[in-house]
């Protein structure tokens, strides 16, 4: 009589191969976990013969790790698992000669390999009428009116940078991260309100810059068009860091792993069907920046370690935006943006030397520029993804001002 290698002390809810917890279901004739079932499926379909280097004397660790595939396969066979239970017509594991006829798959219906998820759509006569139209002219009109009215409250400050810093504080006080527990749904209406808030906030912030107010209205709108998105990327990062600082101590943060999840929104409440009805939110993230979580990535950690003051954050926003918009539009706007950056750099120097009594500020300045450079690289990558979205025609809407959503 042969001795069985089935562990006698295993509970009915434990896998008979690795002794790890399982759901109690039978796979291929025995109660095993999904991992062991998948291994047996692969091993049973493989043409390669597995040989034990220790002549079938391998021992198994209690954590479910198997150093030898041959011994693991023998244990699967010993507890009664059988390849006769394989159903080759239900998945991609197929032995030669089992399936005589190729079934109709996505390859046949779409005329492309099934590993290609996205494809450019064929132009059709009704392709334009099938999309909804989003008119954003009201945002341009609102921004124009704000520029005409100027700064809401007169502010007295020594420098332009200080004046813009005071204006930034007003915006920061009104920023609050949405509570995931209170949001019932985030769809088209909520997205439009957020977009309006973003553009109006940046417009009001720019009115605190005296030199910007002297520009022709057409140039003001052009610069706003080019900076509002990247402005909010940095401002949102600063907002995230302030939130993290309130809920996590600095000591605990240092011990956290890179890219660890800190804060997340329920994606089931995020309705993106008005923007794209073909793909899920996770799939859409390949094409566009959809912030649904806060992770301790390189940017967040760098910002937390820097802890910029209001003046420093204002300079970071100015340098990031004016450098970005000058690089994008070139010409007259590039010349204007370079003059702005020079003036604001002098204001920052005055802040460090006269107010902070710190003439040795190059290390902090380098850290600030490192964050800005990374944000610009991210913007370039995002623009590449958006270009792909245009090629594959994934969006089901058209906007009146598509230039507002060009990131680089």
């Amino acid at each position: 009589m042969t001795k069985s290698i089935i562990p006698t002390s295993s509970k009915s809810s434990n896998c008979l191969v690795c002794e790890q917890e399982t759901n109690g279901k039978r796979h291929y004739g025995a109660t095993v976990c999904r991992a062991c079932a998948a291994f047996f499926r692969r091993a049973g379909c493989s043409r390669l013969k597995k040989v034990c280097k220790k002549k079938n004397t391998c021992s198994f660790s209690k954590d479910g790790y198997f150093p030898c595939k041959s011994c693991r396969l023998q244990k699967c066979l010993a507890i009664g698992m059988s390849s006769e239970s394989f159903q080759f017509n239900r998945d991609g594991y197929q032995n030669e000669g089992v399936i005589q006829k190729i079934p109709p798959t996505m390859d046949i219906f779409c005329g492309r390999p099934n590993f290609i998820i996205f494809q450019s759509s064929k132009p059709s006569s009704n392709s334009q009428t099938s999309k909804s139209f989003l008119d954003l002219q009201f945002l341009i009109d609102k921004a124009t009116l704000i520029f005409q009215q100027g700064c809401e409250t007169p502010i007295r400050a020594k420098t332009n940078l200080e004046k813009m810093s005071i204006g930034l504080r007003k915006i920061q006080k009104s920023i609050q991260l949405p509570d995931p527990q209170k949001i019932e749904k985030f769809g088209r209406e909520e997205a439009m309100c957020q977009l309006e808030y973003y553009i109006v906030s940046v417009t009001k912030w720019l009115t605190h810059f005296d030199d910007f107010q002297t520009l022709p209205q057409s140039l003001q709108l052009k610069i706003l068009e080019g900076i509002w998105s990247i402005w909010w990327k940095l401002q949102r990062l600063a907002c995230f860091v302030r939130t993290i600082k309130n809920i996590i101590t600095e000591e605990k943060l240092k011990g956290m792993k890179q890219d660890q999840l800190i804060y997340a929104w329920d994606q089931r409440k995020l309705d993106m069907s008005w923007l794209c009805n073909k793909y899920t939110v996770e799939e859409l993230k390949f094409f566009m920046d959809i912030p649904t979580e806060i992770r301790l990535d390189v940017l967040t950690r760098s910002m937390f370690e820097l802890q910029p003051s209001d003046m420093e954050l204002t300079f970071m926003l100015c340098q990031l935006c004016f450098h970005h918009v000058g690089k994008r539009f070139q010409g007259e706007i590039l010349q204007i943006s370079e003059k702005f950056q020079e003036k604001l750099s002098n204001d920052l120097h005055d802040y460090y030397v006269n107010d902070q009594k710190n003439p040795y500020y190059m290390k902090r300045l380098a850290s600030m520029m490192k964050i800005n450079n990374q944000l610009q690289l991210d913007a370039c990558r995002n623009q590449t993804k958006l270009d792909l979205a245009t090629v594959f025609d994934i969006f089901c809407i058209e906007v009146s001002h598509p230039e507002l959503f060009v990131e680089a």
Side-chain angles (χ1 to χ4, degrees):
M1 183 177 178
T2 59
K3 184 178 179 182
S4 173
I5 62 171
I6 302 176
T8 56
S9 62
S10 293
K11 298 180 181 179
S12 60
S13 60
N14 286 4
C15 175
L16 297 178
V17 177
C18 64
E19 300 185 19
Q20 298 299 300
E21 187 175 354
T22 182
N23 56 13
K25 293 184 178 180
R26 294 174 66 85
H27 300 278
Y28 310 124
T31 304
V32 294
C33 64
R34 290 176 179 263
C36 288
F39 164 79
F40 184 73
R41 187 72 166 85
R42 294 193 302 271
C45 294
S46 176
R47 297 179 182 179
L48 299 176
K49 186 178 180 181
K50 295 174 173 57
V51 180
C52 178
K53 295 180 180 180
K54 296 183 179 180
K55 298 181 180 180
N56 298 326
T57 59
C58 296
S59 58
F60 310 108
S61 58
K62 293 183 179 180
D63 61 357
Y65 175 74
F66 289 84
C68 177
K69 293 182 179 180
S70 176
C71 291
R72 186 180 188 183
L73 178 59
Q74 292 303 317
K75 191 170 183 180
C76 290
L77 295 170
I79 64 171
M81 297 181 74
S82 172
S83 60
E84 294 179 359
S85 302
F86 293 172
Q87 298 181 21
F88 295 98
N89 61 335
R90 294 186 62 183
D91 55 33
Y93 294 104
Q94 299 174 3
N95 284 340
E96 185 178 359
V98 174
I99 295 182
Q100 301 296 332
K101 184 180 179 181
I102 300 176
T105 60
M106 187 164 35
D107 303 42
I108 298 173
F109 288 115
C110 297
R112 57 186 169 86
N114 57 22
F115 52 80
I116 297 180
I117 300 176
F118 306 105
Q119 64 174 348
S120 58
S121 61
K122 297 178 181 179
S124 59
S125 58
N126 61 349
S127 59
Q128 299 297 324
T129 57
S130 62
K131 293 187 177 183
S132 58
F133 183 74
L134 192 61
D135 190 0
L136 300 178
Q137 184 59 44
F138 76 99
L139 290 177
I140 305 300
D141 294 340
K142 186 168 284 191
T144 302
L145 181 61
I146 293 173
F147 283 142
Q148 289 174 348
Q149 293 174 343
C151 185
E152 291 179 330
T153 306
I155 297 175
R156 292 183 179 180
K158 293 186 298 181
T159 63
N160 280 307
L161 187 63
E162 184 180 353
K163 189 174 182 180
M164 296 180 78
S165 176
I166 296 172
L168 179 64
R169 284 191 214 119
K170 295 180 179 180
I171 297 174
Q172 287 177 330
K173 289 178 182 178
S174 65
I175 299 174
Q176 289 184 348
L177 285 175
D179 188 347
Q181 304 299 328
K182 295 180 180 179
I183 295 178
E184 296 297 329
K185 178 186 174 183
F186 190 90
R188 174 170 176 163
E189 184 178 347
E190 291 77 12
M192 291 305 300
C193 290
Q194 187 178 62
L195 177 63
E196 181 180 356
Y197 173 71
Y198 281 175
I199 293 180
V200 168
S201 297
V202 179
T203 305
K204 290 181 178 179
W205 178 73
L206 286 171
T207 60
H208 294 90
F209 191 11
D210 294 337
D211 290 18
F212 179 85
Q213 284 295 85
T214 62
L215 296 177
Q217 190 176 97
S218 59
L219 286 178
Q220 290 179 339
L221 292 173
K222 197 72 174 177
I223 292 175
L224 174 65
E225 168 194 315
I227 72 171
W228 76 268
S229 178
I230 200 164
W231 190 94
W232 269 104
K233 289 184 187 299
L234 178 54
Q235 180 57 45
R236 192 166 57 222
L237 176 63
C239 183
F240 285 168
V241 170
R242 286 200 304 272
T243 303
I244 294 171
K245 191 178 178 181
N246 293 332
I247 61 178
I248 301 176
T249 62
E250 186 174 354
E251 204 173 296
K252 185 178 179 182
L253 194 73
K254 288 180 180 179
M256 294 175 68
K257 296 180 180 179
Q258 188 73 9
D259 208 37
Q260 184 170 334
L261 180 65
I262 298 175
Y263 198 82
W265 288 268
D266 189 353
Q267 293 189 24
R268 293 173 298 180
K269 298 178 180 179
L270 187 59
D271 178 21
M272 301 293 288
S273 59
W274 62 275
L275 182 65
C276 173
N277 52 22
K278 299 177 183 178
Y279 307 114
T280 64
V281 173
E282 282 301 320
E283 289 172 334
L284 276 175
K285 284 183 179 181
F286 177 81
F287 293 108
M288 57 189 299
D289 180 26
I290 306 177
T292 59
E293 58 189 22
I294 305 175
R295 290 188 176 273
L296 191 61
D297 55 15
V298 176
L299 270 176
T300 306
R301 191 182 288 275
S302 299
M303 196 72 169
F304 189 88
E305 291 172 353
L306 179 62
Q307 293 290 330
S309 65
D310 289 341
M311 288 282 282
E312 289 174 323
L313 180 59
T314 302
F315 177 79
M316 289 176 70
L317 288 165
C318 291
Q319 192 278 333
L320 175 66
C321 292
F322 293 135
H323 177 80
H324 180 76
V325 77
K327 184 179 177 182
R328 174 179 168 183
F329 293 119
Q330 298 293 314
E332 184 180 8
I333 291 182
L334 176 60
Q335 295 177 2
I336 293 170
S337 65
E338 287 178 345
K339 290 180 181 178
F340 286 173
Q341 290 179 77
E342 184 179 358
K343 283 190 175 183
L344 294 167
S345 295
N346 292 335
D347 291 346
L348 182 69
H349 176 78
D350 181 71
Y351 164 74
Y352 277 126
V353 175
N354 298 325
D355 295 349
Q356 299 297 309
K357 309 298 181 184
N358 177 24
Y360 308 104
Y361 57 85
M362 292 306 299
K363 187 175 180 180
R364 288 191 65 81
L365 184 61
S367 298
M368 292 155 61
M369 294 303 98
K370 184 178 179 181
I371 293 173
N372 280 6
N373 291 339
Q374 185 59 51
L375 285 168
Q376 291 194 71
L377 288 174
D378 290 346
C380 290
R381 281 194 286 265
N382 289 337
Q383 185 57 48
T384 302
K385 294 179 179 180
L386 284 172
D387 290 341
L388 285 173
T390 303
V391 170
F392 293 121
D393 195 23
I394 71 164
F395 299 126
C396 59
I397 66 166
E398 289 187 348
V399 294
S400 58
H401 297 74
E403 61 277 1
L404 283 172
F405 304 98
V406 177
E407 294 202 24

